[in-house]
């Protein structure tokens, strides 16, 4: 997609190979060899030079015989007969046919040598020979890209006739501040290119040094590690400077004023620096500027100076990727006042510009390229835009614009229209597209799923364009499949995602015979069978998720690499030749369908797989054991919610890069295979809701150091909780509920450091792990990654609640219900300030409800029922909202609101032992916490009405 591959850097690349020297220099050479014989001494010198070189592809094979002036790459002066030019650059930089070896001093015998080009060869990191400084007549020297390294020899300062020098080599450097002295001798120099030479040691002196070169026309110092762009330059000697490329350095100052006194400047490139501050008014003095590129100076800030607009000769204005603020109205107004604006390309993308687009935009009648993306422009596109009859590319994505005039449809030269990521509303009709006969790329992508833009295009309208790329997401195209695509036979990318299409894929679409790179019609109501006949190019993506497609899983060509068929009604078995048909699949998601049968062995053909998600189907049979070792890249394996039977095959342990292994809700039995120890990259291990048994393996703690989610719930695991689990330092969710675990809760749980910090959402995969929280099962989504949770409920755990639990200060859910825990609730439980869910019901806990619990201001689900708790129920803070009596019932000695049993005097004293210092909430001082309290009360109500019943365990 042409508009996706923004080519910000093409310009500076072109500049590195500046075009100045051919004009200025080649004219000076003669091409006539005739009449003058080659000098013997020079022939000998050349042969000696050749002898030192390595020449794998025989580029110097013509260097035989007498007439050395006719040898390849050699030119002689037609008056003196001396060799004047050695043009030995490698014309094919990508090839390996590079000259190398030793550069013999015999070149010194070429007394009239004025031109030496050894560029794009490979001299394997040797220094630039010192003797080059003795080639006194040299006017042109090009050693760029030839793997010279080390410091540049000072001897070069003797080359006072040099007009052009190009030393662009990444391994060249200056070791000392004074190392650039050699430059001061090159008093005739017009072209200087030291691109990618490390000049960071040259510090402030670089400018002083080049300022001595008063004939300079082009100065190229991109990517030189320069850090200072001096703000003052007392005498400016660049009176002829036309091209200045200082891109990709580390300047972090403001743009210095002296730059604007270089009135000869035609081309200024300050891309990719750290320039800051306002743009100086002096831009206006750059009368002859045709091209100005200040893009990618991410810190260049301030407002656009009015005077910029006086540059009536300006053809290209590039200020992308800076931090420029304010509106563009004045700039455009002034630019449009030029009697015949020459501006062809305007790039202001990735800044902080605001306001409406001015009407005067429509007067820039030579504009071809307009890029305003990723700013904060608002309002409508001005109707005057229809006047821009030369406009070829329009990028307005990533703004807050809402209105689109019909005059857009007049842009008959427009090829690329990118209106993604805005707030467009209203109706688009065929008038908006009426004369867009050149259009190839159309983009209306919107990240949020809310649809505010409706396409209302007559079903018999014939589009004047032939699109290659259409990307419409979250805009209403339906209910019918858009018929105005009927003649779009050039399409390569079709994205009609979340477009309210309730239809089948029409036959005419198939008859377009498209060769697609991407087909994405996800989130519609498309139904019927999916045609197998669509062709795809390699690599391609197919996303048909969340529709009503039915029938067997479609098989496409082997060019499909990403296939998402999630959430449809595909049925029947996975075709047995599935893996053979699409062997290059990297992502496969066929979850949430009605597939049955067993997993075919041909899945083992999918050696490139990164993601395999086949969850939420009716797949049965055993998990194949044959092929896991063939899938070295598999990262995500989700086979949950099927009817898979049998044991977990040992071979799963060969998935050494697997990060998400989700096998929950099947009928798997047996013990965990010890080979899982090899899965050391594991992030989430969910084997819940199976019939697995045996002890919890202690090795989990040692071999899965990055584990953040461990769910083994609803199995038959027995024995103790091994203390090694406590070394899982990144664990955020631990769910061992509904098993037969016994013994006590290891006090080392207090070491689970992941539960002491806010979990970060680094996980990419948001699969189907379920977390029981707030009394109901939630499908786990990104928000639940944000809650730390420990669930050990429904086991046979005994002993006391370890006080160490109260060190897990970022715990959001703690469920220890349905065990045999005894003793008291730890007094410090109030330390768990993030706790939202606390379920301790159905245990044998005794004593009072600790007063510190009144500081749990996020608590919105509490269950303490069926214990032996006693005393008065606290009434402060969040307890005012926890008024369902069932959460306290079954504690015979508990009293007070909301229980019907009132407290006697002794109960009250029992509840408030007083002075334990845990009660942090002093109602007088705590307005803030009360705000939270009410917030969570109202959220609680929402969640109750949304989920129906409150389920107390
Ligand atoms: C010799 O070179 C000069 C320029 O230096 C050129 O004008 C002239 O035509 C050349 N003579 C021949 C015979 O090529
Ligand atoms: C200069 O380049 C040489 C050769 O690449 C290297 O060995 C040396 O460390 C470099 N010196 C500095 C100061 O970067
Ligand atoms: C600039 O040019 C003037 C006059 O040619 C000269 O005197 C001065 O030294 C030059 N400045 C630098 C920094 O070379
Ligand atoms: C620019 O960079 C230098 C050196 O890295 C630093 O000392 C200085 O504070 C920076 N200036 C600004 C304005 O960021
Ligand atoms: C696969 O893609 C290549 C080019 O990407 C194309 O030449 C070839 O025809 C495609 N194969 C099929 C079966 O469509």
């Amino acid at each position: 997609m042409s508009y996706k591959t923004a080519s910000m850097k093409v310009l500076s690349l072109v500049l590195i190979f500046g075009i100045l020297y051919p004009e200025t220099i080649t004219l000076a050479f003669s091409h006539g060899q005739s009449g003058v014989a080659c000098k013997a001494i020079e022939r000998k010198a050349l042969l000696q030079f050749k002898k030192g070189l390595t020449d794998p592809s025989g580029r110097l094979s013509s260097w035989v015989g007498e007439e050395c002036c006719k040898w390849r790459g050699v030119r002689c002066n037609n008056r003196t007969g001396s060799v004047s030019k050695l043009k030995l650059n490698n014309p094919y930089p990508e090839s390996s046919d590079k000259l190398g070896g030793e550069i013999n001093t015999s070149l010194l015998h070429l007394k009239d040598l004025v031109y030496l080009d050894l560029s794009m060869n490979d001299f394997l990191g040797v220094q630039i020979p010192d003797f080059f400084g003795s080639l006194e007549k040299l006017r042109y020297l090009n050693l760029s890209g030839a793997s010279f390294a080390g410091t540049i020899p000072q001897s070069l300062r003797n080359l006072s006739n040099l007009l052009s020098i190009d030393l662009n080599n990444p391994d060249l450097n200056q070791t000392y501040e004074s190392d650039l002295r050699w430059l001061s001798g090159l008093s005739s120099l017009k072209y200087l290119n030291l691109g990618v030479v490390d000049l960071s040691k040259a510090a402030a002196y670089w400018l002083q040094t080049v300022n001595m070169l008063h004939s300079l026309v082009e100065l190229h110092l991109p990517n030189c590690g320069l850090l200072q762009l001096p703000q003052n330059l007392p005498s400016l000697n660049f009176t002829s400077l036309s091209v200045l490329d200082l891109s990709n350095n580390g300047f972090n100052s403001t743009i210095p004023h002296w730059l604007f006194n270089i009135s000869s400047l035609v081309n200024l490139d300050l891309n990719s620096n750290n320039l800051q501050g306002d743009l100086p008014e002096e831009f206006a003095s750059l009368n002859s500027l045709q091209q100005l590129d200040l893009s990618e100076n991410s810190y260049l800030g301030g407002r656009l100076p009015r005077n910029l607009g006086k540059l009536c000769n300006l053809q290209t204005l590039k200020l992308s990727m800076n931090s420029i603020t304010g509106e563009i109205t004045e700039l455009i107004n002034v630019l449009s006042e030029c009697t015949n604006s020459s501006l062809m390309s305007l790039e202001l993308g990735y800044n902080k510009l605001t306001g409406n687009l001015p009407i005067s935009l429509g007067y820039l009648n030579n504009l071809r390229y307009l890029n305003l993306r990723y700013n904060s422009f608002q309002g409508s596109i001005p109707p005057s835009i229809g006047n821009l009859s030369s406009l070829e590319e329009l990028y307005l994505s990533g703004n807050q614009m809402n209105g689109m005039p019909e005059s857009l449809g007049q842009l008959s030269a427009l090829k690329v229209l990118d209106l993604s990521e805005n707030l467009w509303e209203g109706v688009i009709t065929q008038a908006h597209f009426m004369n867009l006969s050149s259009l190839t790329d159309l983009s209306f992508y919107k990240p949020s799923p809310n649809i505010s833009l409706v396409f209302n295009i007559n079903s018999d309208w014939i589009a004047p364009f032939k699109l290659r790329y259409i990307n419409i997401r979250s805009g209403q195209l339906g209910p019918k499949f858009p018929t105005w695509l009927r003649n779009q036979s050039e399409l390569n990318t079709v994205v009609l995602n979340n477009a309210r299409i309730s239809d089948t894929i029409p036959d005419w679409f198939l008859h377009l015979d498209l060769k697609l790179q991407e087909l994405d019609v996800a989130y519609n109501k498309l139904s019927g069978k999916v045609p197998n006949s669509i062709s795809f190019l390699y690599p391609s993506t197919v996303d048909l998720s969340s529709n009503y497609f039915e029938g067997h899983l479609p098989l496409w060509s082997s060019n499909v690499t990403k296939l998402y068929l999630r959430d449809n009604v595909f049925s029947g078995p996975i075709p047995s030749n599935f893996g053979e048909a699409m062997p290059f699949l990297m992502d496969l998601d066929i979850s949430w369908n009605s597939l049955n049968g067993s997993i075919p062995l041909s899945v083992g053909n999918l050696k490139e797989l990164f993601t395999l998600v086949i969850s939420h189907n009716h797949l049965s049979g055993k998990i194949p054991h044959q092929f896991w070792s063939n899938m070295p890249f598999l990262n995500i394996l989700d086979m949950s919610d099927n009817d898979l039977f049998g044991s977990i095959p040992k071979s799963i342990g060969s998935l050494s890069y697997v990060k998400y292994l989700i096998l929950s809700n099947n009928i798997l039995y047996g013990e965990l295979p010890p080979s899982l120890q090899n899965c050391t990259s594991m992030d989430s291990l969910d084997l819940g809701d199976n019939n697995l048994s045996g002890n919890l393996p202690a090795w989990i703690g040692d071999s899965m150091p990055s584990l953040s989610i461990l769910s083994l719930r609803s199995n038959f695991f027995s024995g103790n909780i091994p203390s090694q689990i406590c070394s899982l330092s990144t664990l955020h969710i631990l769910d061992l509920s509904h098993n037969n675990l016994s013994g006590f809760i290891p006090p080392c749980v207090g070491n689970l450091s992941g539960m002491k910090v806010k979990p970060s959402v680094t996980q990419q995969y948001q699969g189907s792990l379920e977390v029981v929280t707030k009394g109901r099962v939630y499908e786990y989504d990104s928000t639940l990654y944000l809650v730390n949770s420990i669930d050990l409920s429904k086991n046979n755990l005994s002993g006391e609640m370890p006080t160490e639990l109260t060190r897990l200060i970022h715990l959001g859910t703690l469920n220890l219900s349905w065990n045999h825990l005894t003793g008291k609730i730890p007094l410090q439980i109030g330390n768990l300030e993030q706790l939202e869910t606390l379920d301790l019901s159905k245990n044998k806990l005794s004593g009072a409800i600790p007063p510190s619990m009144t500081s749990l201001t996020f608590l919105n689900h509490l269950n303490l029922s069926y214990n032996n708790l006693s005393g008065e129920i606290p009434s402060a803070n969040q307890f005012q909202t926890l008024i369902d009596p069932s959460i306290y019932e079954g504690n015979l000695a508990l009293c007070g609101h909301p229980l019907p049993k009132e407290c006697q005097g002794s109960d009250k004293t029992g509840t408030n032992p007083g002075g334990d210092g845990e009660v942090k909430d002093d109602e007088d001082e705590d307005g803030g916490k009360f705000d939270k309290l009410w917030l969570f009360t109202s959220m609680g109500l929402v969640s109750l009405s949304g989920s129906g019943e409150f389920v107390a365990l």
Side-chain angles (χ1 to χ4, degrees):
M1 289 104 247
S2 61
Y3 83 96
K4 280 189 175 173
T5 53
S7 52
M8 294 286 182
K9 288 192 175 151
V10 169
L11 176 67
S12 51
L13 275 178
V14 170
L15 293 183
I16 289 173
F17 305 103
I19 50 162
L20 168 77
Y21 50 83
E23 275 102 22
T24 49
I25 293 157
T26 46
L27 281 179
F29 297 116
S30 63
H31 290 265
Q33 278 39 260
S34 53
V36 201
C38 169
K39 291 184 174 164
I41 182 172
E42 295 198 334
R43 186 172 60 243
K44 210 173 136 206
L46 284 173
L47 288 173
Q48 212 172 344
F49 170 64
K50 176 187 172 184
K51 214 168 141 195
L53 295 177
T54 56
D55 179 15
S57 60
R59 283 188 18 224
L60 304 184
S61 56
S62 68
W63 286 29
V64 288
E66 299 289 305
E67 294 190 79
C68 69
C69 293
K70 290 187 175 165
W71 293 352
R72 185 170 167 191
V74 182
R75 288 290 179 274
C76 297
N77 184 305
N78 67 1
R79 278 180 292 108
T80 65
S82 299
V83 173
S84 58
K85 181 170 175 183
L86 275 184
K87 187 167 169 26
L88 300 177
N89 60 314
N90 172 18
Y92 310 106
E94 298 303 320
S95 77
S96 54
D97 307 340
K98 299 184 175 184
L99 298 176
E102 182 210 346
I103 300 175
N104 196 290
T105 51
S106 67
L107 285 184
L108 287 174
H109 294 291
L110 308 176
K111 294 285 185 220
D112 280 339
L113 194 66
V114 293
Y115 185 109
L116 179 59
D117 185 352
L118 298 175
S119 61
M120 303 294 161
N121 286 299
D122 187 0
F123 291 98
L124 293 171
V126 300
Q127 292 233 327
I128 295 175
D130 227 16
F131 77 84
F132 279 7
S134 307
L135 298 168
E136 283 175 7
K137 294 217 170 136
L138 221 48
R139 292 201 262 172
Y140 176 90
L141 179 61
N142 189 349
L143 303 178
S144 63
S147 303
F148 287 102
T151 52
I152 299 166
Q154 290 299 329
S155 66
L156 295 189
R157 73 184 309 165
N158 300 330
L159 301 177
S160 57
N161 291 312
L162 213 55
L163 299 176
S164 169
I165 184 167
D166 188 344
L167 301 182
N168 195 306
N169 275 289
D171 294 326
L172 286 176
N173 59 37
Q174 298 295 128
T175 314
Y176 303 107
E177 282 194 348
S178 54
D179 274 1
L180 272 178
R181 266 175 317 168
W182 60 273
L183 263 180
S184 58
L186 310 187
S187 52
S188 313
L189 208 59
K190 294 183 183 234
Y191 178 95
L192 173 61
N193 190 335
L194 297 178
V196 306
V197 176
D198 180 1
L199 301 180
S200 53
K201 296 282 185 329
Y205 295 102
W206 71 269
L207 181 59
Q208 222 171 303
T209 312
V210 293
N211 193 27
M212 295 176 196
L213 309 174
H214 38 73
S215 306
L216 217 50
V217 178
E218 294 198 21
L219 175 57
H220 298 267
L221 298 175
N223 225 323
C224 291
L226 296 171
L227 297 174
Q228 292 182 40
L229 184 55
Q231 295 295 300
N232 296 309
L233 190 65
S235 80
L236 183 85
N237 288 357
F238 303 119
T239 48
S240 311
L241 199 64
S242 156
V243 176
L244 177 57
D245 178 1
L246 297 173
S247 59
N248 289 289
N249 282 292
F251 306 135
N252 64 357
S253 53
T254 53
I255 301 176
H257 288 216
W258 56 262
L259 263 180
F260 304 99
N261 296 335
I262 311 176
S263 55
S264 53
L265 214 53
V266 170
N267 200 327
L268 172 62
D269 188 349
L270 293 173
N271 266 356
S272 294
N273 279 288
N274 274 334
L275 292 166
Q276 324 208 338
D278 288 0
L279 290 170
E281 300 256 314
E282 287 89 337
F283 267 102
S285 63
L286 296 176
N287 285 326
S288 55
L289 196 67
Q290 288 167 1
Q291 195 166 13
L292 175 62
D293 185 350
L294 294 171
S295 23
E296 291 186 66
N297 288 294
S298 43
Y299 296 99
L300 192 63
R303 288 166 175 267
L304 286 167
R306 186 189 153 82
N307 288 346
L308 255 182
K310 288 189 186 155
L311 302 174
C312 286
N313 294 322
L314 206 60
Q315 292 179 357
T316 304
L317 178 55
K318 295 190 185 183
L319 292 166
S320 289
M321 302 202 193
N322 285 292
S323 302
I324 302 166
T325 49
E327 304 200 359
I328 59 165
T329 308
E330 252 193 279
L331 170 70
I332 305 292
N333 283 351
V334 180
L335 277 171
S336 66
E337 280 163 18
C338 295
T339 42
N340 191 8
S341 161
S342 55
L343 197 66
M344 295 201 293
S345 177
L346 179 59
E347 285 189 36
L348 298 170
Y350 301 95
N351 278 293
K352 296 175 179 165
L353 297 164
T354 52
N356 288 358
L357 301 189
I359 293 167
S360 53
L361 199 56
Y363 305 140
L364 301 176
N365 47 5
N366 280 309
L367 209 55
R368 294 194 185 161
Y369 181 95
L370 178 59
N371 182 347
L372 302 177
R373 64 179 142 190
Y374 296 99
N375 280 288
S376 300
F377 292 116
Q378 299 173 333
S380 288
I381 301 176
S384 63
I385 194 134
N387 299 340
L388 299 179
S389 57
S390 306
L391 196 62
E392 293 175 4
E393 298 180 43
L394 175 59
Y395 301 93
L396 295 177
S397 50
N399 283 290
Q400 287 143 34
M401 305 196 63
N402 54 23
M404 229 179 288
E406 289 186 353
S407 62
L408 263 184
Q410 300 313 311
L411 300 174
S412 57
L414 199 64
K415 294 178 183 159
V416 180
L417 178 59
D418 180 8
L419 302 175
S420 299
E421 299 184 63
N422 274 283
L423 307 173
W424 308 118
E425 49 194 38
V427 177
I428 298 246
T429 65
Q430 63 260 34
H432 289 91
F433 295 142
M434 193 55 84
N435 294 321
L436 300 184
S437 52
S438 309
L439 199 66
T440 60
D441 289 27
L442 175 62
S443 205
F444 274 101
Y445 169 91
K446 187 178 172 189
S448 114
N450 300 332
I451 293 178
S452 54
L453 188 70
V454 176
F455 290 76
N456 186 359
I457 293 176
N458 284 348
S459 61
D460 53 1
W461 182 66
I462 312 273
F465 42 69
K466 288 276 188 207
L467 296 178
R468 258 178 12 84
Y469 178 95
I470 183 168
N471 184 344
I472 296 179
R473 192 178 301 234
S474 300
Q476 177 171 338
L477 288 164
K480 281 183 76 66
F481 200 90
T483 48
W484 50 278
L485 296 180
R486 254 172 329 193
N487 61 344
Q488 299 304 302
S489 52
E490 307 288 316
L491 282 167
N492 163 284
T493 296
V494 177
V495 179
L496 309 174
N497 181 309
N498 186 25
R500 292 195 180 143
I501 304 174
S502 311
D503 201 351
T504 54
I505 295 187
D507 279 346
W508 58 255
F509 185 76
L510 306 175
H511 294 144
L512 289 173
D513 276 330
L514 302 175
K515 304 244 180 302
L516 293 177
Q517 203 97 48
E518 182 171 6
L519 174 63
D520 176 354
V521 292
Y523 299 97
N524 284 294
K525 290 180 177 162
L526 287 162
S527 56
K529 297 214 160 87
V530 178
N532 276 358
S533 61
I534 305 174
S535 304
F536 292 96
L537 297 173
Y538 181 86
S540 56
T541 300
V542 182
D543 190 348
L544 308 182
S545 301
S546 294
N547 279 291
Y548 299 125
F549 287 117
E550 60 188 35
H552 286 284
L553 275 191
L555 291 178
W556 282 296
S557 86
S558 56
N559 284 341
V560 175
T561 50
K562 299 188 174 188
L563 180 57
Y564 309 101
L565 303 177
R566 181 188 170 92
D567 190 16
N568 277 287
V569 280
F570 289 112
S571 57
I574 301 176
S576 62
N577 58 339
F578 188 83
E580 278 118 34
M582 290 182 276
F584 304 122
L585 277 179
M586 296 163 65
D587 281 1
L588 176 63
D589 184 349
I590 51 176
S591 62
W592 297 88
N593 279 291
S594 301
L595 301 169
N596 57 25
S598 56
I599 301 173
L601 284 183
S602 77
V603 167
N605 257 35
L606 304 175
K607 299 188 169 62
E608 312 284 327
L609 271 186
F610 183 84
T611 307
L612 177 58
V613 180
I614 59 176
S615 57
H616 286 93
N617 279 292
H618 311 299
L619 298 169
S620 55
K622 293 195 163 189
I623 299 178
H625 61 86
Q626 287 89 339
F627 51 64
W628 301 108
S629 59
N630 296 345
M631 298 184 178
F633 309 116
L634 199 64
N635 213 267
I636 298 173
L637 176 57
D638 184 352
M639 305 200 278
S640 60
D641 292 277
N642 279 295
D643 301 319
L644 298 169
F645 182 78
S647 54
I648 300 177
K650 271 206 301 274
S651 54
I652 288 249
S654 51
L655 297 173
S656 40
Y657 292 109
V658 73
K659 286 177 89 165
Y660 303 91
L661 181 59
I662 320 285
L663 303 178
S664 53
N665 220 340
N666 280 292
I667 320 167
L668 303 173
Y669 57 75
E671 303 198 356
L672 293 187
S675 62
L676 282 183
Q677 288 176 80
N678 301 333
C679 303
T680 52
S681 308
M682 196 76 80
D683 185 299
S684 301
L685 179 60
D686 181 5
L687 306 176
D689 294 290
N690 278 294
N691 297 334
L692 299 166
S693 56
N695 287 340
L696 291 189
W699 47 254
I700 284 187
D702 301 324
S703 50
M704 298 185 180
S706 345
L707 205 60
S708 67
I709 296 172
L710 175 60
S711 174
L712 303 176
R713 73 191 306 269
S714 290
N715 278 291
F716 298 106
F717 289 109
S718 54
N720 293 342
I721 299 177
S723 60
Q724 284 84 348
I725 274 191
C726 304
S727 50
L728 293 170
S729 60
T730 55
L731 203 63
H732 290 301
I733 294 177
L734 174 62
D735 188 350
L736 305 178
S737 63
H738 297 250
N739 277 290
N740 293 331
L741 299 171
S742 54
F744 53 84
I745 300 172
C748 69
V749 291
N751 297 343
L752 288 169
S753 38
M755 309 277 185
K756 300 179 188 176
V757 293
K758 199 174 165 169
S760 57
V761 214
T762 51
Q763 288 87 353
Q764 297 298 308
Y765 176 66
Q766 292 165 13
S768 59
L769 181 62
E770 289 168 347
V771 181
V772 177
T773 179
K774 298 172 187 160
R776 51 175 284 214
V777 174
Y778 274 84
E779 184 81 14
Y780 178 124
D781 61 22
S782 54
T783 56
L784 280 172
Y785 277 109
L786 298 174
V787 174
N788 291 317
S789 156
I790 293 181
D791 190 345
L792 305 177
S793 62
K794 294 235 179 181
N795 278 291
N796 295 321
L797 299 170
S798 54
E800 300 201 356
M801 277 176 74
T803 39
E804 287 82 355
L805 269 174
T806 65
R807 284 157 49 187
L808 307 180
I809 54 170
H810 246 283
L811 204 56
T813 294
L814 179 59
N815 189 345
L816 304 176
S817 63
W818 294 83
N819 279 293
H820 309 296
L821 300 174
T822 52
K824 295 185 173 170
I825 299 174
L827 282 177
Q828 304 92 323
I829 192 141
N831 292 353
L832 302 179
E833 289 191 354
Q834 305 297 320
L835 211 56
E836 295 174 33
T837 299
L838 176 62
D839 191 344
L840 303 176
S841 61
K842 299 268 185 181
N843 277 291
K844 295 174 186 153
L845 297 166
S846 56
I849 298 176
S852 76
M853 279 181 65
T854 59
S855 51
L856 301 178
T857 49
F858 287 100
L859 196 62
N860 57 33
H861 174 60
L862 174 69
N863 194 345
L864 300 176
S865 62
Y866 298 97
N867 278 290
N868 295 327
L869 298 170
S870 56
E872 186 178 16
I873 296 168
S875 57
N877 293 352
Q878 201 72 356
F879 277 86
Q880 294 170 47
T881 66
L882 301 167
I883 52 167
D884 175 355
S886 71
I887 67 177
Y888 305 110
E889 78 187 12
N891 290 284
L892 294 180
L894 214 50
C895 64
H897 186 74
L899 290 178
K901 182 179 171 194
E902 283 183 26
C903 296
Q904 309 303 316
S906 61
D907 293 328
K908 290 192 171 173
T909 51
T911 332
N912 288 313
D916 78 2
E918 294 292 333
V919 185
K920 290 181 180 163
D921 288 332
D922 186 345
E923 291 181 20
D924 291 333
E925 301 174 355
D926 225 332
K929 288 220 166 151
F930 268 91
D931 288 343
K932 278 186 206 158
L933 166 75
W934 292 112
L935 174 69
F936 276 85
T937 309
S938 59
M939 280 176 68
L941 287 173
V942 170
S943 107
L944 274 181
S945 58
S947 65
E949 240 350 82
F950 177 81
V951 187
L953 286 173

